[in-house]
Amino acid sequence: MSDFEKTVLTTIEKYNMLEKGATVIVALSGGADSVSLLNALISIKEKYSLNIKAAHVNHNLRGAEAERDENFVRKICAEKNVELFVKSVDINIIADEEKISTELAGRQERYRFFEELNTRFNAKTATAHTADDNAETVIFNLIRGAGLNGLCGIKPVREGIIRPLINLGREEVERYCEENNLEFVTDSTNLTDDYTRNKIRHKIIPVIRELNPGFIGTVKNETEVLSGINSYIELKSEEYIKNAEVENGCSCEKLREIPDALKPAVIYTLLRKNGIMPESKHISLIAGILETGAVDLNGSLRAVSKQGTLRFIDKEVQENKFSEKELKLDMSFCYNGNKYSVKEINSEGALKKSVLEKDAVFRTRRAGDSFTLPRRKVTKSLKKLFNELKIPEEKRDSVMLLASGSEVLWIEGVGASESALSYEKNGFIINVEKERE
């Protein structure tokens, strides 16, 4: 076993990447890194009784060169008797539709594919990230401002993804390929400075290495130390978030009470939970609205701080219009993920049968709506009632009502009004349940 393969084995054992008999899917681009990873895993296959498969994503960005890469990957897998799964996607179309860079679109599609295969085979996917990739990532995150988490670099293990080459440098990969006569292909885009990471690789890191030839190893050691610190901070962040959780979001008061030293980490975790890859600007924006306010984040997400609650809202979700429906016994309909049904009953808590004669309709709110609280017999505007009940503004237009004119007789989640509530053991109920998928 070569020193390269011993390092791969040591890394796997150090981070508990694989168990004996595991299925591992190699993310195989055809480049030197992924080819060396496949070869190294095959070399330890017997020791771990591994079931090795491979996955390749053709992004269709480089025409004939992309076809060449796919054909090469098919050839090498056939030679090594490794089952291969190939996915072909048009990244330019996906990037345009989602309004993101082709780099990000490509990454998202690759990891979606890996997740599908992991689930299908109860497997883990091994990517060929090296110590050089880790250093480039740290610099990239430092430039864009990603906080402590970003300075921890690439995690050796994360959500079904393992990185057995993370302690090996690119020079070691190339030497291993040469010593073992391993063929590989070169992505021409890696040779240009069109992408941010390529500029870091070709222009920034060479200058740093003049100052510190061991820079790649230094970053590897520092990220290990920072990762340990960050793991503890992440644990504390989760505790603070759990303590701040309220219905529909997090308590702004509880978030403001968090020590200033930990507040950015807590906000970072909140953003990650809501699908945002956080940058320092996002953390500052959220911190600035913990009293009150709203800010737009990446994509379609908006953070809103109102009524003492911080919420995250999809601002591009189109309003789900509802066409009013006339009230009838034994009727049912679906709206906004719920199924509503009207049934006659002989028990307390029903609506009066006389309501059936009021030309009542199911609809959503309108200006001028009012509701009379049962037993208290106090009439309030629907707007004031929703404020008192602290129903989030973004949800108010989708609350189902039963109304006759501007008189609201029933509110979803609240119940019947004084004029509609039956104090006898007969009438009808409006049942609400989640719509079956």
Side-chain angles (χ1 to χ4, degrees):
M1 185 181 291
S2 69
D3 289 342
F4 184 94
E5 292 161 356
K6 287 178 182 177
T7 301
V8 170
L9 185 57
T10 300
T11 302
I12 289 173
E13 292 175 342
K14 178 179 179 179
Y15 296 105
N16 298 313
M17 292 182 175
L18 296 171
E19 297 177 354
K20 286 194 174 183
T23 296
V24 57
I25 298 166
V26 178
L28 189 63
S29 67
D33 296 346
S34 65
V35 169
S36 66
L37 172 60
L38 177 64
N39 200 72
L41 288 176
I42 290 174
S43 75
I44 64 170
K45 178 179 179 179
E46 297 302 322
K47 178 179 175 64
Y48 271 90
S49 302
L50 297 178
N51 178 17
I52 299 176
K53 303 177 186 294
H56 177 80
V57 178
N58 184 342
H59 297 129
N60 291 291
L61 287 174
R62 295 173 288 116
E65 188 176 288
E67 291 300 315
R68 176 209 67 182
D69 293 354
E70 181 179 326
N71 291 333
F72 173 78
V73 166
R74 290 185 183 277
K75 173 176 172 288
I76 196 172
C77 286
E79 291 174 351
K80 295 182 180 295
N81 195 29
V82 171
E83 187 176 11
L84 172 67
F85 300 89
V86 176
K87 182 175 183 179
S88 180
V89 292
D90 193 321
I91 289 300
N92 280 325
I93 291 177
I94 293 172
D96 288 342
E97 288 177 348
E98 298 189 15
K99 297 180 176 58
I100 56 178
S101 68
T102 55
E103 277 184 286
L104 180 56
R107 183 183 187 281
Q108 288 180 352
E109 288 303 309
R110 288 194 300 276
Y111 281 90
R112 283 172 187 160
F113 188 39
F114 300 156
E115 185 177 354
E116 290 171 9
L117 293 173
N118 282 354
T119 301
R120 179 178 172 185
F121 295 105
N122 189 27
K124 291 183 180 179
T125 294
T127 65
H129 290 98
T130 65
D132 289 68
D133 294 315
N134 184 51
E136 292 163 11
T137 297
V138 170
I139 294 173
F140 178 81
N141 288 340
L142 182 62
I143 291 170
R144 71 189 181 97
L148 176 59
N149 195 287
L151 296 180
C152 292
I154 300 172
K155 293 186 177 181
V157 178
R158 184 167 190 166
E159 296 174 357
I161 303 295
I162 60 174
R163 277 109 182 191
L165 301 188
I166 200 66
N167 289 323
L168 290 157
R170 193 164 288 127
E171 292 178 356
E172 292 170 288
V173 167
E174 292 172 354
R175 185 164 57 249
Y176 178 73
C177 288
E178 183 178 352
E179 291 172 352
N180 291 273
N181 297 314
L182 300 178
E183 295 182 20
F184 57 87
V185 292
T186 301
D187 183 341
S188 62
T189 60
N190 289 336
L191 304 176
T192 72
D193 291 334
D194 293 340
Y195 298 107
T196 302
R197 286 183 179 274
N198 288 356
K199 290 178 181 178
I200 292 171
R201 180 180 303 171
H202 299 148
K203 295 185 176 182
I204 297 176
I205 287 184
V207 174
I208 296 176
R209 275 183 147 168
E210 289 180 9
L211 302 174
N212 178 9
F215 172 69
I216 302 300
T218 299
V219 172
K220 178 174 73 69
N221 294 334
E222 292 300 315
T223 53
E224 284 187 3
V225 173
L226 291 175
S227 293
I229 296 170
N230 192 58
S231 294
Y232 174 76
I233 292 176
E234 285 181 342
L235 182 63
K236 296 301 293 183
S237 295
E238 292 285 355
E239 291 176 4
Y240 278 114
I241 290 172
K242 186 175 182 179
N243 183 53
E245 285 178 347
V246 294
E247 187 176 5
N248 302 312
C250 285
S251 163
C252 291
E253 181 181 0
K254 293 287 186 182
L255 293 176
R256 289 195 300 269
E257 290 173 354
I258 296 170
D260 290 341
L262 283 175
K263 196 174 293 179
V266 174
I267 295 173
Y268 179 96
T269 303
L270 264 178
L271 288 166
R272 286 295 297 267
K273 283 177 174 289
N274 285 275
I276 289 288
M277 185 60 70
E279 299 179 18
S280 57
K281 64 180 180 181
H282 300 133
I283 294 171
S284 297
L285 288 171
I286 298 297
I289 64 166
L290 289 183
E291 288 287 348
T292 186
V295 292
D296 289 339
L297 304 169
N298 285 357
S300 64
L301 206 66
R302 171 179 291 142
V304 177
S305 175
K306 198 166 186 178
Q307 298 172 318
T309 302
L310 176 69
R311 302 187 300 275
F312 293 89
I313 304 164
D314 189 339
K315 64 179 184 286
E316 290 186 356
V317 173
Q318 294 182 345
E319 185 181 355
N320 189 359
K321 297 290 186 182
F322 178 76
S323 299
E324 66 178 42
K325 297 184 182 297
E326 183 182 349
L327 170 67
K328 295 178 182 178
L329 278 179
D330 299 321
M331 71 180 296
S332 65
F333 61 91
C334 295
Y335 169 68
N336 203 29
N338 289 331
K339 181 178 180 181
Y340 301 84
S341 55
V342 179
K343 300 290 182 183
E344 186 174 4
I345 64 167
N346 293 307
S347 62
E348 294 180 355
L351 282 78
K352 296 176 181 177
K353 284 188 177 180
S354 59
V355 171
L356 295 165
E357 302 169 2
K358 282 194 170 188
D359 297 323
V361 296
F362 286 100
R363 62 172 176 80
T364 52
R365 70 171 179 166
R366 295 175 185 167
D369 282 346
S370 62
F371 181 81
T372 302
L373 296 168
R375 295 181 175 85
R376 290 171 57 189
K377 301 181 181 179
V378 175
T379 300
K380 296 186 178 186
S381 69
L382 204 60
K383 181 178 180 180
K384 184 175 182 180
L385 180 63
F386 279 1
N387 284 339
E388 291 178 358
L389 295 175
K390 295 186 177 181
I391 297 175
E393 287 190 3
E394 68 275 8
K395 293 186 177 182
R396 296 181 183 186
D397 285 331
S398 61
V399 174
M400 184 56 60
L401 310 174
L402 177 67
S404 177
S406 61
E407 180 188 8
V408 177
L409 305 169
W410 172 88
I411 302 174
E412 179 182 354
V414 177
S417 70
E418 171 63 26
S419 60
L421 183 63
S422 173
Y423 291 99
E424 300 176 1
K425 292 185 178 181
N426 65 77
F428 68 93
I429 60 168
I430 302 167
N431 188 47
V432 184
E433 60 184 354
K434 286 292 182 183
E435 184 180 3
R436 292 181 181 177
E437 296 181 355

